[in-house]
Amino acid sequence: MTHSDTPKPTIHVLMVDDHKVVRSGLRMLIESHPRMKVVGEAGKGSDALAAASREHPDVILLDLVLGKETGTDLIPGLLAASEESRILVLTALHDEEEHRRAVRLGAMGVLNKEASTELMIKAIEKVYEGEFWLDRFMTASLLAEMRRPAESKKQEPTEDKTARLTAREREVISLVGKGLKNKQIAERLSISESTVRHHLTSVFNKLEVCDRLELLVFAYENGMVAVPA
């Protein structure tokens, strides 16, 4: 069997939505794809956290409205319960600020429930592969948000910022761009997680960004990592 013939791994999905009929429909759609398997579902926060801790899914489909609970507030707990999981928000909530907040807290994408099945499957695959799934409007909004605090002060040219990066820091940025988390980056580069954190802190300071999302937007905008297809 050639490398190209090697079957791709199954993507394990956890669904978090407070409507059972929605979960049933999503399960049917997701499991119609040969590469995907639903490993759990939850209708409230406590069940979602327990399922994430137990199943360690590849992708968590998360609604932002869970009865009286807010799905956004669950994101840090879900990522703590299953560090390697990636969260894709699937919601009918048209609240751009809440969408941005979800991404800030660690979600890797936002998709409207009205999206086609094909688009949902593609979004799950892309998020699983470590790419952000954001529409152009949200990307532009995040860029504007990044630039707003800097408008009142003189900015150092981008070339000067990137010129200060070490070769190792550029490697770390490249791996962040591929969706790897600190533990995976440490394993890939044969260094400790604390060293990865040190490199990221240095990168954030040199590029004047606040977090991984701002780093990715900066890196995409300046051609440091490939823009997701």
Side-chain angles (χ1 to χ4, degrees), residues 49-67:
L49 293 171
S53 179
R54 180 179 65 250
E55 301 294 344
H56 296 285
D58 298 307
V59 176
I60 300 173
L61 283 183
L62 175 66
D63 194 358
L64 295 183
V65 180
L66 301 172

Side-chain angles (χ1 to χ4, degrees), residues 14 43 57 61 107 150 156 163 172 176 192 206 229:
L14 169 65
L61 283 183
E156 181 181 4
V172 170
V176 169
S192 68
K206 290 178 180 179

Side-chain angles (χ1 to χ4, degrees), residues 8-165:
K8 294 182 178 180
T10 299
I11 301 174
H12 295 140
V13 179
L14 169 65
M15 304 180 302
V16 183
D17 192 293
D18 62 330
H19 293 96
K20 187 174 182 179
V21 66
V22 172
R23 298 199 305 270
S24 297
L26 284 174
R27 178 184 286 272
M28 181 180 66
L29 293 173
I30 292 169
E31 294 195 331
S32 68
H33 191 283
R35 194 186 167 198
M36 297 184 184
K37 178 181 180 181
V38 175
V39 295
E41 58 180 81
K44 59 182 181 180
S46 58
D47 291 344
L49 293 171
S53 179
R54 180 179 65 250
E55 301 294 344
H56 296 285
D58 298 307
V59 176
I60 300 173
L61 283 183
L62 175 66
D63 194 358
L64 295 183
V65 180
L66 301 172
K68 295 182 179 180
E69 298 178 287
T70 302
T72 314
D73 293 333
L74 277 180
I75 292 174
L78 289 170
L79 293 175
S82 182
E83 293 183 357
E84 303 307 317
S85 296
R86 290 168 174 145
I87 295 176
L88 173 62
V89 170
L90 183 64
T91 186
L93 182 66
H94 296 280
D95 186 334
E96 294 160 10
E97 181 56 39
E98 195 67 9
H99 294 175
R100 285 196 296 271
R101 181 169 171 255
V103 174
R104 287 283 183 198
L105 287 172
M108 292 191 67
V110 178
L111 185 67
N112 193 283
K113 282 184 175 179
E114 297 174 358
S116 66
T117 300
E118 292 77 12
L119 196 62
M120 180 184 69
I121 294 298
K122 183 177 181 181
I124 292 173
E125 289 179 324
K126 290 296 185 181
V127 167
Y128 168 76
E129 291 166 2
E131 297 184 12
F132 277 87
W133 185 270
L134 303 173
D135 61 31
R136 292 181 179 180
F137 180 83
M138 179 173 288
T139 302
S141 176
L142 288 166
L143 279 169
E145 186 178 317
M146 286 171 57
R147 290 167 176 155
R148 202 172 296 128
E151 289 177 351
S152 61
K153 63 180 182 179
K154 184 177 180 180
Q155 289 295 293
E156 181 181 4
T158 297
E159 295 79 6
D160 292 347
K161 294 178 184 177
T162 57
R164 297 207 309 268
L165 295 170

